């Protein structure tokens, strides 16, 4: 695999430039990479750079990531109808011949990417078109095992783990089972051999004061073996693993019950291995309970012991989550009696739930240092489980069979926590935070299934615990507690009477300017969610109901100026310049409230200023979406009420919208065209010269070559056709529009847009202008109808009738 050195140097330079703080340099490098991607041998050059020791590690890592993503996009798929843009077969053959060997010699960070690249290629070719892959891995694994080379063993196991991960979530079918059987026949026995060998090596070294750096590769080897175990057992219990279950379970039990020297435990590798073991135990408990029941009692005791033990391991949190998840699965099963005694339940509550429910130093650091991740874990329920969520899930699992006992225990615990807070509010605020979190986790919320566990009287709890925190004079203090209170409001917003919610709004609005990113984000989320609540309204004379917004303009108007001001202030805080929760709340308020006067001018200028900033680096798609929606809400609500504001909007928005088009900020093109369409719809003919220049851009065929922009472009074109239909016969515009119409009609993904465009033409353009093109339109329609027999298309086509009587076009719907 020979690649010219100058090509590698050029690639390395481009990847270095993609990390530049200069936006122009970044765009130039990205454009160079995009242009080079279509050249033959590009994928080979990426792989060669990733493996090149003479280049910078950052450039090599970037190349490996680019290579992995390239394989995911362009590796030939078996069911691909069109080979355009896919990697040529010759390049694929060279990649498959060298990829595994390069993976073995690459640094760890690059190994991880190359392992994913192996999986990306194998997803299409393995095993039928890449028969040498698994035998090569097995052969190399045997060589590494015989030589005692744990590092090489781990590299091969990482590749196998990526290769087999497809079995975890794939749809079960005969073809998948044949592939699984092939993998089991070739890899199950070598995997057990590696597992037992590494287990013996760990057992021999574990009793002494071993060096963590020496033992870490052994722990990694066993962890990877456990991950592969999970993948190969995900679909069904293989016969080989059932026959050798005792050997696997003996090893698992040893890892859970063995305590290693403190330096080794503090390294975290043992807990990562134990977490992988707990994942396997949960898999067997969920899917193979009958075969696993003989080992259940001892593993429950082992996992329970782990949760009781104290350690300085940085990975203990992850282990605790997986361990609690396993116990939850047992608690929800037919074996729930293992936890059914009052003593066991009290121990669960006192020793597992409450310690893991209280805020930790890590939580406080995350709250202060990475508020986005804190919100994702705490409020949005991200994929990464938290100890708090896992502990409450265990309680809910027990409550499924022991509801009254759990309710009594938790109710007593909540009262104890609140009493501790009342005794020392300054030092025990975490007790109140934990009590509120318990109520959030266990009480039934509207729309939830499964029934909640009634641990408190909700009305009394809300009045005595939540409202005082909202109305407290020291509203800037104890931000984590305030965030939990606001989260309570969000979770139970549907149960708060409208009058009560409106009365509390001034208290909540002030939290929008709280200095904590989490607090003002939670306040914004609550207000935004509150405005989305809908009430069921009976339809007179019918048995059905319709849903209308509970909170309307009259409810929000008194608070809108302060909400808008506080949101604008919060958007200036550090790390909240592109806070999507704030912008989403602003979007919702602007879409409902009636604003006028100076507020319109101020918020428009503020939003345009923010848009100018994000144009420099559009990195937050959610925030950007809500930003444009907020602009659209201001234009729509205020512009319709006061047409005199339209020139103000044009003066403010045209510079930034033109910048988006001129600088080719592709992410914002669809939004820009939608805003332009909104302004055109609100304008009165004759349109200004700026609009007519935009009309020329709109009729350019190159503008329509971007599929994401098509809906917005159609909306803008229809707005022009309604406002200036008579200008179509100037400068050859109508033929250009018909060319666009035929192009849209030729693709099933855009044929609806073609008919919307034609509909607007029929409604707004005079017959004298259109008559020379009638036959052309019908020809395009019937030609498409010959190859497109979909019912939807036929209905559209039948809906068009051209009647020339009196030179009038009539739109009829069949």
């Amino acid at each position: 695999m020979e690649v010219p050195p100058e090509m590698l140097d050029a690639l390395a330079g481009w990847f270095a430039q993609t990390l530049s703080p200069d936006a122009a340099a970044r765009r130039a490098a990205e454009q160079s990479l995009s242009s080079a991607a279509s050249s033959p041998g590009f994928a080979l050059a990426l792989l060669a750079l990733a493996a090149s020791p003479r280049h910078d590690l950052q450039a090599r890592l970037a190349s490996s990531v680019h290579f992995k993503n390239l394989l995911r996009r362009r590796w030939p798929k078996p069911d691909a109808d069109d080979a355009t843009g896919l990697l040529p077969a010759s390049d694929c053959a060279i990649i498959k011949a060298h990829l595994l060997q390069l993976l073995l010699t690459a640094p760890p960070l690059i190994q991880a990417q190359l392992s994913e690249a192996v999986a990306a290629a194998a997803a299409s070719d393995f095993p039928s078109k890449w028969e040498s892959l698994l035998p090569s891995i097995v052969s190399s694994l045997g060589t590494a095992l015989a030589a005692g080379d744990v590092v090489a063993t781990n590299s091969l196991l990482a590749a196998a783990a990526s290769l087999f991960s497809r079995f975890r979530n794939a749809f079960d079918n005969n073809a998948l089972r044949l592939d699984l059987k092939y993998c089991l026949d070739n890899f199950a026995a070598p995997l057990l051999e590696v597992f037992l060998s590494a287990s013996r090596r760990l057992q021999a070294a574990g009793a002494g004061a071993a060096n963590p750096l020496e033992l870490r590769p052994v722990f990694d080897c066993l962890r990877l073996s456990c991950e592969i175990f999970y993948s190969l057992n995900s679909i069904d219990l293989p016969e080989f693993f059932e026959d050798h279950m005792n050997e696997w379970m003996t090893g698992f039990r040893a890892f859970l019950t063995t305590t290693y020297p403190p330096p080794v435990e503090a390294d975290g590798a043992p807990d990562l291995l134990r977490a992988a073991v707990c994942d396997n135990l949960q898999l067997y408990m969920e899917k193979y309970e009958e075969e696993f029941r003989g080992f259940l009692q001892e593993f429950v005791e082992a996992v329970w012991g782990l949760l009781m033990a104290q350690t300085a391991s940085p990975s203990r949190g992850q282990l605790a989550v997986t361990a609690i998840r396993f116990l939850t699965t047992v608690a929800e099963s037919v074996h729930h009696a293992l936890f059914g005694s009052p003593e066991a339940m009290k121990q669960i509550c006192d020793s597992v739930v409450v310690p893991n429910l209280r805020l930790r130093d890590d939580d406080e650091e995350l709250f202060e240092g990475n508020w986005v991740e804190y919100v994702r874990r705490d409020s949005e329920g991200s994929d990464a489980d938290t100890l708090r969520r896992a502990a409450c899930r265990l309680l809910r699992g027990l409550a499924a069979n022991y509801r009254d006992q759990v309710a009594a225990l938790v109710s007593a615990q909540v009262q104890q926590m609140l009493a501790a807070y009342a005794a020392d509010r300054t030092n025990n605020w975490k007790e109140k935070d934990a009590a509120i979190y318990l109520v959030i986790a266990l009480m039934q919320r509207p729309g939830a299934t499964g029934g909640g566990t009634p641990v408190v009287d909700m009305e009394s709890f809300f009045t005595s615990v939540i409202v005082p925190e909202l109305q407290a004079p020291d509203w800037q203090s104890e931000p984590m507690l305030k965030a939990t209170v606001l989260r309570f409001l969000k979770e139970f917003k549907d149960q708060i009477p409208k009058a009560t919610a409106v009365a509390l709004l001034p208290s909540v609005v002030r939290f929008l300017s709280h200095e904590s990113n989490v607090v003002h984000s939670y306040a914004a989320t609550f207000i935004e969610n509150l405005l989305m609540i809908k009430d069921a309204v009976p339809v007179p004379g019918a048995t059905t109901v319709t849903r209308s917004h509970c909170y309307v303009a009259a409810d929000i108007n008194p608070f809108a100026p302060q909400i808008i001001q506080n949101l604008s202030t919060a958007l200036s805080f550090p790390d909240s310049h592109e806070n999507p929760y704030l912008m989403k709340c602003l979007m919702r308020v602007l879409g409902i409230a009636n604003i006028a006067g100076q507020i319109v001018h101020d918020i428009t200028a503020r939003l345009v200023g923010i848009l100018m900033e994000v144009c420099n680096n559009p990195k937050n798609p959610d925030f950007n979406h809500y930003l444009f929606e907020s602009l659209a809400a201001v234009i729509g609500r205020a512009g319709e009420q006061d047409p005199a504001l339209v020139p103000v909007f044009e003066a403010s928005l045209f510079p930034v919208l033109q910048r988006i088009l001129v600088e080719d900020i592709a992410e914002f093109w669809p939004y820009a065209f939608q805003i332009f369409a909104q302004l055109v719809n609100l304008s009165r003919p004759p349109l200004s010269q700026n609009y007519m220049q935009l009309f020329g851009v709109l009729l350019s065929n190159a503008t329509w070559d971007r599929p994401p922009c098509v809906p917005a472009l159609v909306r803008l074109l229809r707005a022009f056709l309604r406002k200036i239909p008579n200008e179509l016969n100037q400068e050859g515009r109508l033929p250009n529009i018909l060319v666009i119409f035929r192009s849209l009609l030729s693709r099933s993904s855009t044929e609806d847009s073609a008919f919307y465009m034609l509909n607007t033409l029929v409604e707004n353009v005079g017959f004298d202008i259109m008559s020379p093109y009638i036959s052309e339109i019908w020809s395009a329609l019937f030609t498409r109808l010959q190859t497109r027999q979909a019912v939807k298309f036929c209905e559209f086509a039948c809906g068009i009738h051209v009647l020339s009587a009196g030179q009038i076009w009539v739109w009829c719907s069949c």
Side-chain angles (χ1 to χ4, degrees):
M1 189 177 62
E2 295 295 333
V3 179
E6 56 271 16
M7 179 61 182
L8 297 183
D9 294 339
L11 276 176
W14 292 335
F15 282 121
Q17 286 298 308
T18 59
L19 303 176
S20 170
D22 183 2
R26 286 198 312 272
R27 290 186 181 277
E30 290 166 358
Q31 182 61 42
S32 298
L33 287 170
S34 178
S35 300
S38 58
S39 60
F42 179 71
L44 303 180
L46 290 174
L47 184 57
L49 177 58
S52 173
R54 72 181 182 88
H55 287 92
D56 179 70
L57 181 61
Q58 287 296 328
R60 295 173 62 190
L61 179 59
S63 183
S64 65
V65 172
H66 206 86
F67 175 76
K68 172 195 69 177
N69 294 333
L70 184 73
L71 262 58
R72 287 176 173 172
R73 294 193 312 270
R74 298 180 55 191
W75 193 270
K77 306 294 190 295
D79 54 350
D81 297 329
D82 185 5
T84 305
L86 300 180
L87 294 176
S90 57
D91 285 5
C92 294
I94 296 174
I95 290 171
K96 289 192 289 188
H98 292 85
L99 185 53
L100 186 61
Q101 187 59 39
L102 292 178
L103 183 147
L104 291 175
T105 58
L109 288 175
I110 297 176
Q111 277 184 355
Q113 301 302 322
L114 295 184
S115 295
E116 293 296 325
V118 170
S124 298
D125 287 12
F126 179 78
S128 59
K129 296 182 181 179
W130 200 352
E131 297 177 353
S132 63
L133 176 59
L134 195 54
S136 297
I137 293 177
V138 172
S139 174
S140 300
L141 199 59
T143 303
L145 193 61
D149 189 346
V150 183
V151 175
T153 300
N154 289 351
S155 300
L156 293 162
L157 288 178
S162 297
L163 187 66
F164 300 146
S165 62
R166 58 185 287 223
F167 298 121
R168 294 193 175 202
N169 302 309
F171 179 74
D172 188 9
N173 54 49
N174 290 336
L176 187 72
R177 284 181 175 262
L178 287 174
D179 290 349
L180 176 59
K181 183 180 185 305
Y182 171 81
C183 296
L184 289 167
D185 292 343
N186 286 273
F187 204 80
L191 177 65
L192 179 59
E193 184 181 356
V194 171
F195 179 78
L196 295 177
S197 174
S199 298
R200 290 191 294 268
R201 187 166 183 168
L202 180 62
Q203 186 178 9
N211 184 350
L213 295 178
E214 294 177 359
L215 278 184
R216 188 184 301 163
V218 182
F219 280 110
D220 289 342
C221 178
L222 290 166
R223 176 182 54 80
L224 288 167
S225 299
C226 290
E227 291 176 2
I228 295 173
F229 177 97
Y230 189 103
S231 297
L232 295 179
N233 283 268
S234 293
I235 294 179
D236 205 349
L237 179 58
E239 183 179 354
F240 181 89
F241 286 95
E242 186 174 3
D243 293 341
H244 295 273
M245 187 181 295
N246 191 60
E247 292 152 279
W248 283 100
M249 296 302 160
T250 300
F252 290 167
R253 185 170 58 251
F255 305 147
L256 296 178
T257 56
T258 301
T259 301
Y260 300 97
V264 177
E265 291 284 353
D267 180 62
D271 278 348
L272 291 176
L273 171 59
R274 292 167 182 145
V277 169
C278 288
D279 283 336
N280 288 332
L281 298 181
Q282 184 186 358
L283 175 68
Y284 267 54
M285 185 63 217
E286 287 179 338
K287 301 193 69 172
Y288 317 121
E289 179 269 336
E290 183 176 351
E291 293 83 0
F292 181 65
R293 68 173 60 188
F295 303 94
L296 180 59
Q297 178 74 39
E298 57 185 319
F299 276 117
V300 167
E301 294 173 357
V303 171
W304 190 281
L306 277 177
L307 291 172
M308 299 298 106
Q310 299 296 320
T311 178
S313 167
S315 302
R316 181 48 59 118
Q318 179 182 344
L319 170 62
V321 169
T322 57
I324 293 173
R325 192 188 300 138
F326 166 67
L327 295 181
T328 302
T329 303
V330 177
E332 294 173 341
S333 72
V334 295
H335 302 282
H336 56 78
L338 290 171
F339 307 107
S341 67
E343 297 78 12
M345 284 199 184
K346 190 172 190 314
Q347 189 175 8
I348 288 174
C349 190
D350 295 343
S351 303
V352 177
V353 174
V354 173
N356 289 305
L357 199 68
R358 291 193 175 97
L359 290 169
R360 301 178 174 223
D361 293 341
D362 292 345
D363 297 320
E364 295 186 66
E365 292 175 5
L366 193 66
F367 186 92
E368 296 292 340
N370 189 351
W371 71 269
V372 174
E373 184 61 23
Y374 182 90
V375 171
R376 285 175 179 166
R377 292 185 180 186
D378 179 63
S379 180
E380 295 183 359
S382 66
D383 291 339
D385 275 335
T386 64
L387 282 171
R388 302 183 102 188
R389 189 177 298 114
C392 289
R393 192 177 298 142
L394 176 58
L395 271 184
R396 288 198 297 269
L398 289 171
N401 295 292
Y402 306 98
R403 188 182 186 201
D404 293 339
Q405 296 93 313
V406 170
L409 279 171
V410 174
S411 179
Q413 188 64 55
V414 168
Q415 297 306 320
Q416 182 179 335
M417 290 174 171
L418 293 177
Y421 171 74
D424 187 353
R425 294 173 181 264
T426 302
N427 297 316
N428 290 341
W429 63 268
K430 292 183 181 179
E431 296 295 309
K432 184 172 185 178
D433 177 271
I436 297 173
Y437 193 93
L438 257 179
V439 173
I440 292 174
L442 293 181
M443 292 293 287
Q444 176 70 26
R445 289 181 289 279
T449 58
T453 303
V455 296
V456 296
D457 176 72
M458 184 60 76
E459 183 176 351
S460 174
F461 186 84
F462 179 76
T463 303
S464 61
V465 177
I466 302 301
V467 172
E469 289 296 333
L470 294 173
Q471 299 177 341
D474 56 340
W475 58 280
Q476 288 277 9
S477 65
E478 298 162 358
M480 296 191 80
L481 176 58
K482 298 299 190 297
T484 302
V485 168
L486 290 168
R487 188 185 162 206
F488 179 96
L489 289 182
K490 187 200 78 168
E491 297 290 346
F492 297 102
K493 60 187 179 300
D494 299 273
Q495 294 176 246
I496 303 175
K498 182 176 179 179
T500 303
V502 171
L504 286 175
L505 263 182
S507 300
V508 176
V509 168
R510 63 178 178 170
F511 285 109
L512 291 173
S513 59
H514 196 285
E515 60 186 11
S516 166
N517 302 91
V518 177
V519 172
H520 60 240
S521 297
Y522 278 13
T525 300
F526 166 67
I527 294 173
E528 190 273 330
N529 285 187
L530 192 71
L531 298 181
M532 287 297 292
I533 296 176
K534 292 185 177 181
D535 289 333
V537 179
V539 177
T543 57
T544 59
V545 297
T546 185
R547 302 190 68 84
S548 62
H549 284 284
C550 178
Y551 296 86
V552 295
D555 300 315
I556 199 69
N557 283 341
F559 312 103
Q562 191 63 48
I563 293 175
I564 293 172
Q565 179 182 337
N566 286 6
L567 287 171
S568 182
T569 301
L571 285 166
S572 303
F573 288 163
D575 297 326
S576 269
H577 296 299
E578 297 187 23
N579 186 326
Y581 306 103
L582 298 179
M583 191 56 69
K584 189 176 184 181
C585 179
L586 182 58
M587 173 199 73
R588 196 71 62 201
V589 172
L590 293 174
I592 294 177
N594 295 319
I595 59 172
Q598 189 60 37
I599 295 179
V600 176
H601 294 267
D602 292 343
I603 194 59
T604 302
R606 182 78 172 99
L607 292 174
V608 170
I610 295 172
L611 180 55
M612 278 290 192
E613 288 295 322
V614 300
C615 280
N616 296 327
N617 185 16
K619 62 180 183 295
N620 191 330
D622 288 341
F623 177 84
N624 297 336
H625 174 78
Y626 297 132
L627 171 59
F628 279 99
E629 290 287 352
S630 298
L631 280 169
V634 173
I635 296 169
R637 297 280 295 177
E640 290 176 359
Q641 295 173 5
D642 184 3
L645 288 172
V646 174
V648 176
F649 293 139
E650 293 173 349
S652 298
L653 287 165
F654 262 65
V656 67
L657 295 179
Q658 288 173 344
R659 178 188 174 188
I660 291 171
L661 300 183
V662 171
E663 296 184 8
D664 193 16
I665 306 175
E667 299 92 328
F668 292 167
W669 271 44
Y671 297 114
F673 288 125
Q674 289 181 72
I675 296 294
F676 276 129
Q678 199 174 16
L679 291 173
V680 171
N681 280 324
L682 291 173
S683 300
R684 295 178 179 176
L687 299 181
S688 69
Q689 188 59 35
N690 285 332
Y691 285 118
M692 299 311 297
Q693 291 176 354
L694 177 63
F695 197 16
V697 174
L698 181 61
L699 297 182
S700 169
N701 292 333
T703 307
W704 294 80
D705 290 339
R706 309 185 187 203
C709 296
V710 168
L713 290 169
V714 171
R715 181 178 299 181
L716 177 57
L717 183 54
R718 295 177 70 194
F720 273 118
L721 294 178
R722 294 188 188 100
K723 293 295 180 177
I724 51 172
N726 295 326
E727 279 79 353
L728 286 180
N729 59 352
Q730 301 174 9
E731 302 178 7
R733 290 171 181 149
L734 185 53
N736 286 347
I737 292 177
L738 294 178
V739 169
I740 295 170
F741 164 73
R742 288 196 300 270
S743 175
L744 296 177
L745 189 67
S746 65
R747 298 187 296 271
S748 58
S749 60
T750 57
E751 62 187 17
D752 288 6
S753 298
F755 279 105
Y756 294 141
M757 185 187 302
L758 183 58
N759 186 18
T760 308
L761 278 169
V762 170
E763 291 176 338
N764 296 277
V765 179
F767 179 78
D768 56 330
I769 297 176
M770 291 296 299
S771 58
Y773 306 99
I774 294 175
S775 60
E776 181 181 343
I777 293 173
W778 280 112
S779 175
L781 290 172
F782 285 118
T783 300
R784 178 61 172 161
L785 192 58
Q786 289 176 347
T787 59
R788 175 72 167 160
Q789 299 297 325
V791 173
K792 177 179 66 175
F793 184 92
C794 295
E795 289 177 349
F796 268 122
C798 292
I800 300 176
H801 296 277
V802 182
L803 303 179
S804 58
Q807 297 187 352
I808 297 175
W809 283 58
V810 180
W811 168 262
C812 305
S813 179
C814 65

